[in-house]
Amino acid sequence: MSQTAAGALTPESADGSGPPADNYLTHAHGVRSWLFTLDHKRIAVMYLVGILGSFVLGGVFALLVRTELIRPGPTIMSKDMYNHMFTLHGAVMIFLFIIPGIPAVLGNFALPLLVGAKDVAFPRLNLASLWLWMIGAVFFVVTLHVGGLDTGWTFYTPYSTETPSAVIPAALGAFVLGFSSIFTGINFIATIHKLRAPGMTWFKMPLFCWALYATAIIQVLATPVLGITILLLAAERVLEVGIFNPKWGGDPVLFQHFFWFYSHPAVYIMILPGMGVISEVVAVFSRKHIFGYRFIAYSSVAIAVWGFLVWGHHMFTSGMTPLAAMIFSALTFSVSIPSAIKVFNWLATMYKGSISLATPMCYALAFLFLFGIGGLTGLFLGTLSTDVHLHDTYFVVAHFHYVMFGGAMIAFLAGLHYWWPKITGRRYAERWGQLGALLTFLGVNLTFFPQFILGSRGMPRRYYDYAGLLDRHPDFQQLHVLSSIGAYLTAVAITVVLGTLIHSVFRGRPAPANPWGGATLEWQCASPPPYDNFASTPTAGDPYAVDEFEYDPAIDGYVRRSAPNPPGPCPVPSHD
Amino acid sequence: MLAEAGGTFWLPPQSSSTARYVDAAFHLVLGISTFFFLLIVALMVVFVLRYRRRPGVGPAKSPSHSTALEITWSVIPLGLVVVIFSLGFYGYMEIRTAPRTAYEILVTAQKWKWTFRYPNGYEDPELHVPVDEPVRLVMQSQDVIHSLFIPAFRLKMDVVPGRYTTTWFRAIAPGEYDLTCTEYCGTGHSDMVTKVVVHAPGEFEPWLRKADEQAQSLAPVDAGRRLVTQRCASCHSVDGTQVPNGGPSFKGIFGQTHTFTKGPPQVVDENYLRESILDPSKRIREGYEDRMSTFRGQLTDKQITNIIEYIKSLK
């Protein structure tokens, strides 16, 4: 796996310009040195490989779904196969990719470096979390081989207690992955509380740490509810006790309450760390101190806490009382305010900056655009009367893909390109990185924007066939075709993105310690960092004092200014 | 890409009395969202162009905090969402509160069809209603959760097994509209598409009387064919083909000897067919799974007899 990467990195290490000879990638050799490592950076790299593999797998399912929908009637698969495909797309993307995505990869890699620590608080727990992720992934592979899964990723009862597909292996997979997520959360909370470098008060933490902290609160407090729900579901399937199935005296809507009590906060597990990444990237690439630090930090915590109180907005048409619907709608609107605050603060950070269009910033700008659409269309769904019309239509599908792909995935790519030189010690080809960002941006819009129109005009989601709707809606055909073409474009875009990154591992120029001019602590150690991060404990200052760093063309990286605010023109890098 | 005639770019024509509440809220949110989205993108584009990195030009000094600004962009959106919430809640109460005098139709959802039962006992796979009269739907599911969605009426309500859910509407224009299932319910989820027929003033009652008389006066075999098409055809074919994940075809089964997962074989006769309809889990034919739910209470004795007569005719 990453052995080749490590091998390729060693040659230039001897001279002073390349990566240091002894870094975390070269520190030990052999498969065992990876699988049994306690190093947060290696664990992050292994998570990265697994998570990108899951993303590609989930993406293949998505392409099959979009191909089936390119024309009405049967296209390439049967009804049941289609139901399996959209279920597996959702389950793989959510449980294997997007929930662990940013925390387990970028959080694991960056958090200890950002707070100036040698590792996370509990390195063994961290490794256990990775192993649990792998075991969870195995459960999903088993699910594929023993009957698949056709419940939708939401496992709604009583369908899920009656379908002959492999609900129990998939549910146990989600259960195990839940523990992986809890372990990561516990680790991050302890790390942030106990391992911050001297000088790093709570309000001198980088905002990515605040975002991870808020995420960890949700991971630790909400995920157990998912675990319990899954066990109840499995017990009902095996023992036929009446919990959710009315056939045995259960209540199917109770399952929805339990499920969304986890799964709505889980949406914030997906998006909050992404917002944290964007806070870092916007400040660094605008060469500006982040605007409104405290509001951004507090808004992360507000979203985490408020996110626990809004699960009922998934159930406005389930037969909930109007009073409950009113309360959930009101709470849902209040959670939109912290997100709005963040967006305005990022824009204010760019004001009067010196904005570089390097790849991570391209993704951050794409995030503002796409998350803007994703967030604002949430207003339609939080509004009670319009939700009655839009619920369970393609409008919802478009909304959450703008938030998940346009928000969380784009932020993940922003963060991945931002920390890539640190992770691998290599620079990717900037032009190709920008091209990948542009293509992804276009692909996401082409795929999902037509789905808003489909949905508001009445196209239900999870439909194998829309021939029966074409009499009154011939337009559905064209909109589905546009969406499918968008999906293929997105596949090309992701190929470019991953190709560029993989190419850089083998052919990329060596990266300097601080390629972008970030003021956070990870840029103080070499690229890639040594095994134990910092030779001596660093002292933390203002994480957004980016003006203390200036560009040095000799190393194509940034160094700390010798004198504060020197007069005269300052050199700039040429990556835009 | 063109929208439906009579509708807007985003929404189908308004065909129920409550659709306008939904559309008013939709267009308000659309206006506010579009304004803020354009504002965000415009600022972003202007900043990127105006403050793009240039050789020899660094970032200008500007404050990194402004409480006044922060409060402004917290309070303005807060005020707007209060307005949106209120409009949405008002419309929702209109949608959820049925008039006392509404005409009641019983709705049964099952995998994968709708059955609408009118006050005179007549059943139809399509929803027929009079124009300009409030209609209340009392809905139940025979198996899993379904959801009744009529886009032109802006109406949606889940149909949940083990309880009744209700919804209502008043259609305002005669015509035909789509009715779909919007809660995923398995193999045939996308087959649960039928239509709402809104009859012009004075035409609904005559239609209902006529449809009912026709159904009553049919020969048993013809009545049985009608019932099988409505109630059985999503799982059982009548031409010898196998419905994926469904049960055996009805063609030629009468008089055959069937073997079961448990118990002795049995010749298919009237009593066995009756048992299979009312107690399908009792004996599972070899090669099939226990998937069918009972029709006890849903079919009258006369209807069961008609179905059996029809099956007998399928040689």
Side-chain angles (χ1 to χ4, degrees):
Chain A
M1 184 182 61
S2 306
Q3 282 303 300
T4 35
L9 286 170
T10 34
E12 284 114 322
S13 311
D15 67 20
S17 66
D22 182 35
N23 61 54
Y24 81 100
L25 294 167
T26 58
H27 186 71
H29 295 278
V31 174
R32 285 174 59 87
S33 78
W34 281 85
L35 286 177
F36 292 91
T37 184
L38 298 180
D39 180 8
H40 68 100
K41 301 182 289 301
R42 284 195 165 196
I43 290 172
V45 169
M46 285 186 281
Y47 256 126
L48 176 64
V49 172
I51 272 165
L52 287 178
S54 307
F55 176 75
V56 170
L57 181 66
V60 169
F61 292 138
L63 290 174
L64 291 172
V65 164
R66 281 313 324 167
T67 304
E68 174 54 46
L69 291 169
I70 208 161
R71 61 187 179 87
T75 308
I76 54 164
M77 61 179 95
S78 69
K79 290 177 188 174
D80 284 319
M81 183 60 83
Y82 174 81
N83 292 343
H84 284 261
M85 285 302 124
F86 81 69
T87 300
L88 290 166
H89 164 66
V92 167
M93 283 297 194
I94 289 191
F95 293 115
L96 284 175
F97 168 65
I98 209 160
I99 286 180
I102 297 184
V105 178
L106 301 177
N108 251 329
F109 187 87
L111 177 64
L113 292 164
L114 284 169
V115 298
K118 286 183 186 295
D119 209 314
V120 291
F122 309 118
R124 281 181 181 77
L125 194 65
N126 203 18
L127 182 63
S129 135
L130 172 69
W131 285 358
L132 284 178
W133 184 90
M134 293 184 198
I135 294 169
V138 168
F139 271 101
F140 272 77
V141 173
V142 168
T143 304
L144 279 175
H145 285 97
V146 296
L149 185 68
D150 73 339
T151 60
W153 80 274
T154 45
F155 293 109
Y156 267 22
T157 55
Y159 189 81
S160 59
T161 53
E162 292 179 355
T163 172
S165 70
V167 173
I168 291 193
L172 290 179
F175 182 81
V176 170
L177 290 168
F179 272 93
S180 167
S181 182
I182 292 170
F183 286 2
T184 302
I186 291 172
N187 231 330
F188 286 3
I189 290 175
T191 305
I192 288 168
H193 270 278
K194 304 304 289 183
L195 298 186
R196 280 174 286 128
M200 187 178 285
T201 59
W202 280 87
F203 290 103
K204 287 229 174 95
M205 275 202 308
L207 286 163
F208 184 51
C209 300
W210 272 102
L212 287 175
Y213 187 79
T215 308
I217 292 172
I218 306 173
Q219 287 176 308
V220 171
L221 293 183
T223 317
V225 178
L226 176 73
I228 295 162
T229 310
I230 284 171
L231 288 186
L232 289 174
L233 179 64
E236 178 157 67
R237 260 184 89 89
V238 176
L239 307 172
E240 304 196 347
V241 289
I243 301 161
F244 304 127
N245 193 337
K247 205 195 259 178
W248 304 306
D251 179 355
V253 179
L254 180 67
F255 177 86
Q256 296 177 25
H257 279 287
F258 283 177
F259 181 82
W260 289 114
F261 187 84
Y262 165 74
S263 293
H264 193 77
V267 172
Y268 300 112
I269 295 179
M270 306 171 201
I271 195 67
L272 270 173
M275 293 168 154
V277 170
I278 299 303
S279 298
E280 303 298 325
V281 169
V282 166
V284 168
F285 290 90
S286 302
R287 310 301 311 144
K288 282 277 303 289
H289 193 286
I290 191 83
F291 189 91
Y293 175 97
R294 277 180 188 247
F295 271 79
I296 297 181
Y298 283 135
S299 69
S300 288
V301 178
I303 289 172
V305 173
W306 234 240
F308 276 96
L309 306 174
V310 302
W311 78 89
H313 67 217
H314 296 269
M315 302 162 60
F316 288 154
T317 65
S318 299
M320 185 183 263
T321 64
L323 177 68
M326 181 194 84
I327 292 168
F328 280 121
S329 174
L331 289 167
T332 299
F333 278 113
S334 59
V335 85
S336 67
I337 303 300
S339 302
I341 291 173
K342 282 180 191 277
V343 170
F344 292 128
N345 277 301
W346 293 324
L347 286 171
T349 305
M350 290 164 64
Y351 175 67
K352 288 193 174 178
S354 168
I355 298 169
S356 152
L357 288 180
T359 309
M361 188 62 175
C362 290
Y363 280 108
L365 297 174
F367 177 96
L368 282 173
F369 185 101
L370 299 169
F371 179 73
I373 294 179
L376 287 164
T377 51
L379 296 175
F380 292 85
L381 301 169
T383 307
L384 284 167
S385 57
T386 44
D387 183 69
V388 170
H389 178 60
L390 299 170
H391 181 71
D392 271 339
T393 67
Y394 264 81
F395 193 93
V396 176
V397 178
H399 159 70
F400 71 70
H401 278 96
Y402 264 93
V403 176
M404 293 295 104
F405 200 149
M409 175 63 182
I410 293 288
F412 175 73
L413 289 174
L416 191 60
H417 285 83
Y418 178 57
W419 281 300
W420 190 258
K422 187 58 65 184
I423 296 171
T424 63
R426 297 286 171 165
R427 316 261 337 222
Y428 46 83
E430 198 56 59
R431 287 282 172 220
W432 282 95
Q434 290 165 323
L435 178 68
L438 177 68
L439 289 176
T440 309
F441 173 76
L442 295 175
V444 171
N445 279 307
L446 186 56
T447 311
F448 299 113
F449 201 82
Q451 298 185 1
F452 281 123
I453 308 169
L454 277 170
S456 71
R457 291 181 183 181
M459 171 82 206
R461 69 189 284 205
R462 294 174 169 178
Y463 261 34
Y464 165 75
D465 186 11
Y466 48 94
L469 302 168
L470 287 176
D471 282 350
R472 260 171 289 279
H473 282 285
D475 50 314
F476 283 3
Q477 165 78 72
Q478 297 144 340
L479 292 164
H480 273 299
V481 169
L482 282 180
S483 180
S484 296
I485 294 171
Y488 301 139
L489 177 59
T490 310
V492 172
I494 295 298
T495 310
V496 170
V497 171
L498 296 183
T500 303
L501 291 177
I502 292 168
H503 174 267
S504 76
V505 171
F506 300 102
R507 293 276 185 277
R509 286 177 293 128
N514 192 351
W516 315 118
T520 41
L521 294 176
E522 80 274 32
W523 305 112
Q524 290 188 13
C525 51
S527 300
Y531 173 71
D532 50 4
N533 297 352
F534 300 98
S536 59
T537 307
T539 309
D542 184 340
Y544 296 103
V546 286
D547 55 352
E548 288 175 12
F549 294 82
E550 65 182 345
Y551 183 65
D552 177 1
I555 59 162
D556 189 19
Y558 283 74
V559 289
R560 192 178 284 279
R561 276 187 214 285
S562 33
N565 303 326
C570 47
V572 287
S574 58
H575 41 55
D576 55 345
Chain B
M1 282 288 275
L2 288 178
E4 219 174 327
T8 63
F9 177 79
W10 291 99
L11 295 161
Q14 293 177 6
S15 307
S16 77
S17 58
T18 51
R20 62 196 170 94
Y21 298 109
V22 174
D23 293 15
F26 187 96
H27 286 111
L28 174 78
V29 179
L30 185 65
I32 290 174
S33 302
T34 309
F35 172 78
F36 276 95
F37 176 69
L38 293 178
L39 179 72
I40 291 166
V41 173
L43 286 174
M44 189 171 93
V45 170
V46 167
F47 289 172
V48 166
L49 294 177
R50 175 110 172 63
Y51 307 119
R52 72 180 177 278
R53 194 164 294 178
R54 293 187 191 85
V57 183
K61 281 274 170 229
S62 62
S64 66
H65 179 65
S66 159
T67 308
L69 213 49
E70 298 276 4
I71 288 173
T72 308
W73 62 48
S74 308
V75 170
I76 291 176
L78 190 65
L80 288 171
V81 296
V82 168
V83 174
I84 297 172
F85 161 78
S86 310
L87 197 64
F89 180 59
Y90 177 74
Y92 185 74
M93 292 312 289
E94 294 291 333
I95 295 168
R96 288 292 297 269
T97 314
R100 283 175 188 282
T101 57
Y103 181 85
E104 251 181 33
I105 297 173
L106 305 177
V107 182
T108 304
Q110 69 187 104
K111 293 176 184 170
W112 290 281
K113 58 188 169 286
W114 299 98
T115 307
F116 300 96
R117 195 157 180 237
Y118 298 86
N120 64 355
Y122 172 70
E123 288 181 355
D124 201 282
E126 291 172 359
L127 176 58
H128 289 256
V129 296
V131 72
D132 280 330
E133 222 176 285
V135 173
R136 183 162 177 263
L137 304 178
V138 178
M139 309 193 285
Q140 57 177 323
S141 166
Q142 292 302 318
D143 35 52
V144 298
I145 302 177
H146 302 275
S147 187
L148 180 135
F149 178 36
I150 307 171
F153 295 175
R154 313 288 188 273
L155 189 72
K156 186 177 291 116
M157 180 52 95
D158 287 7
V159 187
V160 183
R163 65 170 70 167
Y164 294 101
T165 54
T166 64
T167 187
W168 82 281
F169 59 86
R170 181 164 64 82
I172 55 173
E176 293 188 357
Y177 307 97
D178 288 326
L179 185 156
T180 66
C181 176
T182 46
E183 186 63 69
Y184 171 70
C185 56
T187 311
H189 174 48
S190 63
D191 299 333
M192 284 184 76
V193 176
T194 183
K195 60 185 177 185
V196 186
V197 181
V198 178
H199 291 268
E203 289 177 11
F204 173 72
E205 285 298 335
W207 169 84
L208 182 60
R209 226 176 5 254
K210 200 169 157 212
D212 189 39
E213 277 164 16
Q214 270 182 358
Q216 300 281 353
S217 64
L218 287 175
V221 171
D222 294 326
R225 177 184 296 120
R226 200 184 141 83
L227 281 163
V228 165
T229 313
Q230 282 176 19
R231 311 295 299 266
C232 318
S234 56
C235 298
H236 300 275
S237 79
V238 292
D239 57 3
T241 56
Q242 175 62 45
V243 176
N245 282 323
S249 174
F250 289 156
K251 189 179 170 67
I253 56 166
F254 195 82
Q256 279 179 353
T257 305
H258 281 183
T259 50
F260 303 99
T261 50
K262 270 182 217 152
Q266 157 90 43
V267 174
V268 177
D269 60 9
E270 286 88 348
N271 281 322
Y272 168 67
L273 286 175
R274 184 182 164 81
E275 176 201 290
S276 300
I277 294 168
L278 294 178
D279 195 1
S281 302
K282 193 168 172 189
R283 287 189 276 186
I284 306 300
R285 191 172 163 194
E286 233 163 28
Y288 292 90
E289 283 181 58
D290 182 9
R291 285 204 180 158
M292 179 169 158
S293 41
T294 177
F295 281 77
R296 193 181 295 280
Q298 295 184 57
L299 295 170
T300 62
D301 276 359
K302 187 175 166 192
Q303 287 175 316
I304 291 171
T305 309
N306 290 342
I307 289 173
I308 293 171
E309 288 307 306
Y310 174 60
I311 291 175
K312 278 159 109 172
S313 76
L314 293 167
K315 297 276 176 351

